[in-house]
Amino acid sequence: MLFAEVVLPLPLYSSFTYSIPEGMEGVVTGSRVLVQFGRRKFYTGIVASVHPDAPEGYSVKPISLLLDPTPIVRFPQLRLWQWIADYYLCSPGEVYKAAIPTGLKPESTTFLSLSPDCDLLEASASLKEEEARILQLVSSEKRLSISDIESRTEITNATSYIRPLLEQGVLEVAEAVVEKYRPKTVRMVRLSLRPGDHDGVHRLLDLTNRSTRQQNALMAYLDMSGFLSTRTEPKEVERDALMQRAGITPGILKAMVDKEIFEVYKKSVNRFQDFDGDTCPIPPLTEIQRDAFDAIAEGFRTKEVMLLHGVTGSGKTEIYAHLIDRVLNAGRQVLFLVPEISLTTQLTDRLRRLFGDRLLVYHSKFSDNERVDVWRRVLDSHDPLLILGARSAVFLPFHHLGLVIVDEEHESSYKQYDPAPRYNARDTAMVLASMHGAKTLLGSATPAVDTYYKALNGKYGLVTLSERFEGAALPTVEIIDMKDQRKRKLSDGILSQPLRLATEQAMHDGKQALMFQNRRGFAPFVVCRNCGWTPRCTNCDVALVYHKHSDLLRCHYCGFSMPLPPLCPACQENSVEVYGYGTERIAEEVHRRFEGYRVGRMDLDSTRNKDAFQEIIEDFSCHNMDILVGTQMITKGLDFGDVTVVGVLNADSLLNFPDFRANERAFNMLEQVAGRAGRRSDAGYVFIQTTDPGNAVLAHVAAHDYKAFYEMEIQSRERLLYPPFSRIINIFLKNKNSTDAEAAAHLFANALRATFGPRVLGPEKPFVSRVATWYLQCIMLKIESSASMSKVKRILRTIYESLARDPRIKSSVIYYDVDPA
């Protein structure tokens, strides 16, 4: 008998052994199988290996079902999963859960139904109101999941009311495996004849000679399918297309089916429309771009990774296109990573015109069904493909990867924060490329300090583009002292006088402007001016942000919301006021100040649906908007030719942050948003508003001097032993009880010090110390860059197991963030 090691989508540090039943052929590494785990639950697992060794000490369960005739995961993917689990200190099950689209992971769902011997009237008499509502709903629907019950009754913590109903025998539980993926199908039409049967066609024509419409439908089908052609097989014809072409109704088509003239059948199709236009030739490179392209190609002879350091607007995308074309023509695949979904919108249009149907797009805004379709296309196709996507695209089942491009490689958006695996897609992509024997190109105008250090020290190759495309000048940056503006009463709300005047001139000239504020909502602060009351989240240690559109106070951490009270709850006075500026308030103020001009907004609130990014970007590109207000979404890689003015409305919120990467993040974001201005022949102007105009970071941004900023930052990192001179692991402990959280953190930190010594810092409360009712503590582990992460993982696991009996540790959740961004 053979056995399979199966990885389950659960936070478990080992695989589980199942027997392969006789006659279940095709269970191999990468197969998708349905297995029972525990008494009642069923999960979709991935086979990690097959072997003949029966485990000792317990009997194994058999695999319940083989879900696919062929594997859905390739061997290099399993190697990548294991690397992620080892490096980022998590379990393979957590990697699997993140990697595979939900539509490919059917699992059993708990359903509740009325017990057969339950007397509804008798049972309802002694129930609480909430229990009675739940019972009434289940009895009317026959079977409901717990999530359905919670959403339809709007009862919070419905499980506490369901439990007594189960104990009394009023309700009973059943498990059912729910398949979440639904292929897209279309109805097709074919003749009930063998291809080329001319005599049969004449017979059908005679059969329809009394109905002009039926005969029109038959003639239309013959024309659309080429059925009478002797050279090719008939083409498939969609039912709706045939009815439109022939001008017939479904009733007429049904009559023809009843006469056995036509047969109607279903066919699974791709959800994504094929590119129906002509592809364009790739624009030729300028002399400077050609030199950079040649240098990259030459560098790939000796280096696995190359860094393209090009100033904003230097034409990095054109170089990418030529490299992609070379790799596709060699028959290999290309992965093109971008940090934000919003960037895929403009890039998709540009790359689609160049590469047509060879381009696939993959990101989290797609539905589960759409993501499964892309997954299967990459898995089944042996054609050279270009995959454009955000960080989750690194998990796709590549088989012949030749090149990985990581655009805006410095971006913290490549880092997954919650839940595990807390991986960095840039670093993971480089490991993925090496496993396939592919090359990696990192591109940025403001490379991460770690990346630039490795390039200068020879680990990566380095190519520099120091001029903008077609000689366009870098924008002029002016640092605005907002304390002086307010003192002289020159500011109009949040807009300084220089920014206001420059925007007016841009509007007069028919140009466009961007306004950047890295805070969404209407107002970040709500305070009672009488007693100082401030509304705070009931679940998190943060103040609530006011959103005027919904007239709600919201928590940006857990989603809690409440209405803005008309009177202060503390002093009962009509003195609650909002302070500060979020993007919603700025957009309103800019619209008032520049009356007659169209103002748009791009932030998380305005881009909830899948198509919102594209609609906003297209509107701005087509001059349906004059001024666009946004968060960091507007700072990254977008190319608008008529933007001549960029306003950074509050640089202080970027600079004053308690983190060793704060300066780097601030410089990158400010330089990137500045790079949106003046990307063509018109001069660009950037106004950075701050109360600290002497800040050294702002001076480097104003001079567009990345190298000077890098030298300042690398010296500070070396002095304090921060990356790239060490590796940081943040260890978080969270507990529902604040005292237990603090005690568990000190217990764990002391145990760490016994092994790691002074490399352990903390514990301390993080910047936000309570999130979603969990109290947080953080321990920083600063280790050597050359340390083995798999060995560190084993040590951390051993320390945890030695403390696991302590009730404070047992009640805490411990997780790790390696290389925090």
Side-chain angles (χ1 to χ4, degrees):
M1 176 176 281
L2 290 177
F3 299 88
E5 294 300 319
V6 178
V7 179
L8 299 176
L10 300 168
L12 304 169
Y13 278 82
S14 62
S15 59
F16 290 83
T17 307
Y18 289 83
S19 63
I20 301 176
E22 293 292 331
M24 187 177 285
E25 305 294 336
V27 176
V28 295
T29 299
S31 291
R32 191 170 64 121
V33 294
L34 190 69
V35 295
Q36 184 179 0
F37 187 72
R39 285 187 171 184
R40 310 171 73 96
K41 294 289 286 185
F42 286 84
Y43 291 97
T44 299
I46 298 294
V47 176
S49 64
V50 175
H51 58 81
D53 305 320
E56 297 180 1
Y58 64 94
S59 59
V60 298
K61 295 174 182 175
I63 291 174
S64 300
L65 185 64
L66 175 63
L67 294 173
D68 304 283
T70 56
I72 69 154
V73 173
R74 300 182 185 276
F75 177 69
Q77 284 177 280
L78 294 173
R79 286 178 59 207
L80 183 69
W81 291 5
Q82 191 59 55
W83 178 85
I84 293 173
D86 288 341
Y87 188 84
Y88 291 105
L89 307 180
C90 62
S91 68
E94 289 170 313
V95 183
Y96 160 39
K97 188 172 183 178
I100 301 290
T102 304
L104 290 175
K105 298 193 295 280
E107 60 185 58
S108 61
T109 300
T110 302
F111 288 95
L112 298 173
S113 58
L114 196 65
S115 179
D117 53 358
C118 169
D119 186 319
L120 193 60
L121 289 176
E122 182 180 336
S124 300
S126 59
L127 297 180
K128 297 178 181 177
E129 179 186 346
E130 291 85 357
E131 294 171 349
R133 285 170 57 196
I134 292 171
L135 182 60
Q136 188 65 39
L137 179 63
V138 173
S139 66
S140 64
E141 296 290 338
K142 308 302 181 188
R143 191 181 82 162
L144 281 175
S145 68
I146 293 174
S147 59
D148 286 339
I149 290 172
E150 288 181 334
S151 64
R152 293 180 61 175
T153 60
E154 297 184 351
I155 296 174
T156 56
N157 196 20
T159 52
S160 63
Y161 299 105
I162 292 171
R163 193 177 300 112
L165 297 175
L166 293 171
E167 292 170 353
Q168 297 169 32
V170 177
L171 296 181
E172 61 182 18
V173 173
E175 294 286 320
V177 176
V178 178
E179 177 66 68
K180 298 177 181 178
Y181 172 67
R182 294 289 183 271
K184 182 179 179 181
T185 60
V186 295
R187 293 184 182 273
M188 312 296 289
V189 176
R190 63 187 170 209
L191 278 183
S192 53
L193 299 172
R194 292 192 307 273
D197 185 353
H198 290 244
D199 293 338
V201 171
H202 286 297
R203 188 175 67 254
L204 295 180
L205 286 169
D206 291 339
L207 191 62
T208 59
N209 62 4
R210 293 187 177 182
S211 172
T212 303
R213 290 186 176 181
Q214 289 187 11
Q215 198 159 67
N216 288 343
L218 181 56
M219 295 300 293
Y221 174 83
L222 294 174
D223 183 45
M224 295 171 72
S225 65
F227 186 85
L228 297 177
S229 172
T230 58
R231 296 182 180 179
T232 58
E233 287 289 313
K235 297 177 183 177
E236 291 187 294
V237 176
E238 287 190 29
R239 183 193 66 172
D240 292 347
L242 175 63
M243 290 195 303
Q244 184 176 5
R245 172 82 172 268
I248 61 172
T249 63
I252 293 172
L253 184 63
K254 184 179 183 303
M256 298 181 75
V257 172
D258 293 341
K259 290 182 179 180
E260 298 185 350
I261 297 172
F262 284 138
E263 296 173 358
V264 176
Y265 63 98
K266 289 183 179 180
K267 178 188 176 183
S268 296
V269 296
N270 190 346
R271 281 184 164 81
F272 303 98
Q273 292 183 348
D274 291 333
F275 181 68
D276 55 5
D278 295 325
T279 57
C280 306
I282 300 176
L285 298 174
T286 65
E287 183 178 349
I288 295 174
Q289 290 173 333
R290 171 56 62 179
D291 290 342
F293 174 87
D294 292 340
I296 292 169
E298 183 63 29
F300 277 147
R301 294 180 183 274
T302 56
K303 302 289 185 183
E304 299 299 312
V305 180
M306 294 291 295
L307 170 63
L308 176 59
H309 177 205
V311 298
T312 56
S314 57
K316 293 187 290 293
T317 306
E318 284 73 19
I319 295 175
Y320 297 157
H322 281 263
L323 287 167
I324 292 167
D325 188 56
R326 173 183 285 191
V327 174
L328 293 180
N329 288 337
R332 304 190 71 178
Q333 297 169 321
V334 179
L335 171 61
F336 193 144
L337 285 181
V338 292
E340 290 277 359
I341 296 169
S342 59
L343 292 186
T344 63
T345 300
Q346 278 196 328
L347 266 177
T348 297
D349 293 340
R350 294 174 69 178
L351 296 175
R352 184 77 73 194
R353 289 194 294 269
L354 300 178
F355 301 107
D357 287 334
R358 291 186 290 177
L359 173 68
L360 296 178
V361 182
Y362 187 82
H363 54 65
S364 59
K365 284 288 185 180
F366 283 173
S367 68
D368 286 334
N369 288 335
E370 289 171 328
R371 298 177 81 187
V372 171
D373 282 351
V374 175
W375 184 281
R376 292 196 180 279
R377 172 79 187 278
V378 176
L379 181 71
D380 298 336
S381 174
H382 292 278
D383 298 329
L385 295 172
L386 165 61
I387 293 89
L388 172 66
R391 60 175 178 252
S392 59
V394 298
F395 294 119
L396 286 167
F398 302 100
H399 66 92
H400 201 199
L401 193 61
L403 175 66
V404 173
I405 297 172
V406 185
D407 194 26
E408 311 293 354
E409 65 83 27
H410 64 277
E411 273 294 337
S412 60
S413 301
Y414 282 122
K415 175 73 173 179
Q416 163 77 11
Y417 290 100
D418 260 329
R422 295 171 178 84
Y423 68 102
N424 189 307
R426 175 199 61 196
D427 300 337
T428 303
M430 288 190 279
V431 174
L432 171 71
S434 68
M435 289 179 174
H436 284 266
K439 303 294 185 180
T440 303
L441 177 63
L442 309 176
S444 177
T446 55
V449 169
D450 310 46
T451 301
Y452 201 66
Y453 176 83
K454 292 172 183 176
L456 290 181
N457 286 274
K459 184 172 183 180
Y460 303 158
L462 175 62
V463 176
T464 302
L465 273 174
S466 55
E467 293 184 19
R468 279 188 153 187
F469 182 67
E470 293 185 342
L474 288 168
T476 301
V477 178
E478 184 176 344
I479 309 299
I480 308 297
D481 185 350
M482 291 303 290
K483 287 189 294 186
D484 179 67
Q485 287 281 305
R486 293 179 186 122
K487 182 179 178 181
R488 297 164 56 194
K489 297 183 179 180
L490 297 175
S491 64
D492 181 6
I494 198 170
L495 302 178
S496 63
Q497 184 188 58
L499 174 57
R500 190 172 66 251
L501 294 176
T503 305
E504 288 174 354
Q505 186 62 49
M507 298 299 99
H508 179 267
D509 296 339
K511 301 300 180 181
Q512 295 172 294
L514 292 177
M515 301 291 176
F516 167 60
Q517 171 78 331
N518 205 28
R519 188 183 286 271
R520 62 189 172 96
F522 185 82
F525 308 109
V526 179
V527 180
C528 172
R529 69 172 184 271
N530 190 46
C531 71
W533 171 83
T534 298
R536 303 189 69 82
C537 178
T538 59
N539 306 317
C540 309
D541 187 22
V542 293
L544 298 176
V545 176
Y546 179 56
H547 290 249
K548 187 175 182 180
H549 176 72
S550 56
D551 196 29
L552 289 174
L553 296 163
R554 292 187 182 277
C555 173
H556 288 175
Y557 284 83
C558 72
F560 170 81
S561 64
M562 60 178 280
L564 180 70
L567 300 177
C568 173
C571 66
Q572 300 301 314
E573 293 293 328
N574 184 15
S575 52
V576 176
E577 295 187 354
V578 297
Y579 297 93
Y581 289 85
T583 49
E584 188 181 3
R585 186 175 190 178
I586 292 167
E588 184 178 288
E589 185 167 308
V590 169
H591 189 271
R592 175 188 58 79
R593 182 63 186 78
F594 298 99
E595 190 175 350
Y597 294 99
R598 295 155 297 186
V599 179
R601 178 165 60 94
M602 179 184 277
D603 55 26
L604 186 62
D605 298 320
S606 64
T607 55
R608 293 287 183 184
N609 67 63
K610 183 179 71 175
D611 299 322
F613 288 111
Q614 184 159 354
E615 291 169 1
I616 294 171
I617 288 171
E618 285 182 356
D619 280 348
F620 195 66
S621 297
C622 298
H623 273 262
N624 294 328
M625 295 179 194
D626 301 299
I627 303 172
L628 180 60
V629 177
T631 57
Q632 60 181 332
M633 290 180 182
I634 68 171
T635 70
K636 305 169 186 176
L638 297 175
D639 186 16
F640 302 115
D642 284 333
V643 172
T644 57
V645 172
V646 168
V648 178
L649 302 181
N650 183 13
D652 298 346
S653 63
L654 304 176
L655 295 165
N656 303 321
F657 202 80
D659 186 85
F660 77 94
R661 294 191 192 273
N663 283 347
E664 180 182 4
R665 279 198 295 262
F667 178 88
N668 291 348
M669 198 171 294
L670 292 171
E671 183 64 20
Q672 289 287 335
V673 72
R676 300 314 107 203
R679 296 175 70 89
R680 299 295 186 271
S681 57
D682 295 305
Y685 299 92
V686 180
F687 300 88
I688 299 178
Q689 301 182 167
T690 177
T691 59
D692 183 18
N695 190 290
V697 173
L698 298 181
H700 294 314
V701 173
H704 300 292
D705 195 343
Y706 172 81
K707 291 183 179 179
F709 165 76
Y710 168 80
E711 290 298 334
M712 178 188 77
E713 190 67 13
I714 202 69
Q715 290 172 20
S716 172
R717 300 273 185 97
E718 187 172 20
R719 187 173 64 254
L720 299 172
L721 276 182
Y722 278 117
F725 304 100
S726 67
R727 177 174 289 135
I728 300 295
I729 303 173
N730 283 336
I731 303 169
F732 289 94
L733 293 91
K734 62 180 186 178
N735 197 296
K736 294 287 187 178
N737 181 284
S738 61
T739 303
D740 287 349
E742 189 171 344
H746 279 92
L747 186 66
F748 201 80
N750 291 335
L752 288 170
R753 285 192 182 91
T755 300
F756 294 104
R759 300 177 184 88
V760 180
L761 304 175
E764 62 181 21
K765 292 180 180 179
F767 186 66
V768 178
S769 61
R770 187 169 68 107
V771 175
T773 73
W774 290 89
Y775 292 90
L776 303 179
Q777 291 279 330
C778 180
I779 303 166
M780 178 183 286
L781 181 58
K782 190 187 292 187
I783 61 175
E784 292 78 3
S785 299
S786 58
S788 165
M789 290 303 293
S790 58
K791 185 176 180 180
V792 171
K793 183 179 183 180
R794 288 194 298 272
I795 294 171
L796 291 174
R797 188 66 189 171
T798 301
I799 291 173
Y800 172 77
E801 289 172 354
S802 70
L803 302 173
R805 291 181 179 273
D806 190 292
R808 295 163 297 181
I809 295 289
K810 195 172 184 179
S811 62
S812 298
V813 175
I814 300 176
Y815 60 91
Y816 308 96
D817 186 8
V818 180
D819 300 338

